[in-house]
Amino acid sequence: ISKSPAIFDRVKLDHFNAVYLRNLPADKFHEVAEPYIRQSVKGDFDTAAIAALLQARCERLTDIPEKVDFFDALSAFDVECFTNKKSKTNSEVSLKMLQTAVPALDALSDWTGDGIHDTLIDLAAKLEVKNATLMWPVRIAAAGKLVTPGGAVEICHILGKDETIRRLKAGMSMLSVC
């Protein structure tokens, strides 16, 4: 007990909570996170894979629904999301990247994280662009958000081949209009 008044520090509390969540075993984190994931993800997605994406990026369990709501339905987003200075993308570059990524991913018979990763990395090398120049538009088209719990490869893997291709084609349509 000291003479100074007690302080409630929300930032510090969030930090300790994040450390606790990150240190949980993966199966235990999945167990506590699944009800929050299911608040916004009603479809038949692998909640364990989604939980694995979230664990390193989660401070509070109550933040989970807004982080993963794109799995069920792609919400409307601005075409400006495809523009990123660091990744050196804009609408024209993103359209070109999606136009080459769709056939490459559609031809992929082994829809695994490694298969998707290798396909996209090889495609970036073939196009002589940085990996981020290809991955940014793929992730934006697949998720419709600037900030996601995982990268393009992880999101595409969880969404599945058909849904990923459908979303990438929708992104191409969106970019073709402007």
Side-chain angles (χ1 to χ4, degrees):
I1 299 178
S2 69
K3 291 181 181 181
S4 60
I7 298 173
F8 181 79
D9 188 349
R10 182 67 182 199
V11 173
K12 195 171 191 177
L13 181 63
D14 286 343
H15 169 73
F16 282 123
N17 195 56
V19 170
Y20 171 76
L21 291 173
R22 290 179 187 129
N23 288 331
L24 283 175
D27 60 332
K28 182 66 177 163
F29 179 79
H30 175 242
E31 183 181 317
V32 297
E34 187 172 22
Y36 295 94
I37 293 169
R38 285 291 174 205
Q39 283 180 18
S40 59
V41 179
K42 310 285 188 228
D44 187 27
F45 294 104
D46 183 2
T47 57
I50 296 172
L53 289 179
L54 288 166
Q55 189 167 7
R57 298 164 178 89
C58 187
E59 287 188 348
R60 292 178 293 193
L61 293 172
T62 54
D63 293 341
I64 291 175
E66 72 183 44
K67 289 184 179 194
V68 298
D69 60 354
F70 66 88
F71 281 108
D72 248 9
L74 190 61
S75 59
F77 63 97
D78 189 21
V79 74
E80 285 301 312
C81 292
F82 286 103
T83 301
N84 183 285
K85 285 184 180 181
K86 187 175 178 183
S87 299
K88 297 180 181 172
T89 61
N90 57 31
S91 297
E92 295 81 30
V93 171
S94 294
L95 179 59
K96 181 182 175 194
M97 294 299 113
L98 291 177
Q99 287 172 336
T100 56
V102 168
L105 290 172
D106 200 20
L108 186 63
S109 60
D110 180 29
W111 196 260
T112 61
D114 290 337
I116 297 165
H117 176 267
D118 294 345
T119 300
L120 292 175
I121 296 298
D122 292 345
L123 184 58
K126 180 179 152 192
L127 294 171
E128 298 177 351
V129 296
K130 292 185 176 188
N131 295 340
T133 306
L134 176 63
M135 298 292 191
W136 181 266
V138 170
R139 185 178 65 80
I140 294 298
K145 288 186 166 195
L146 291 173
V147 179
T148 57
V153 172
E154 295 89 358
I155 291 170
C156 290
H157 181 246
I158 292 170
L159 285 173
K161 185 176 183 175
D162 294 338
E163 183 63 14
T164 297
I165 300 299
R166 186 187 71 73
R167 290 184 182 198
L168 296 185
K169 286 180 178 178
M172 285 173 24
S173 297
M174 178 187 248
L175 288 165
S176 297
V177 173
C178 55

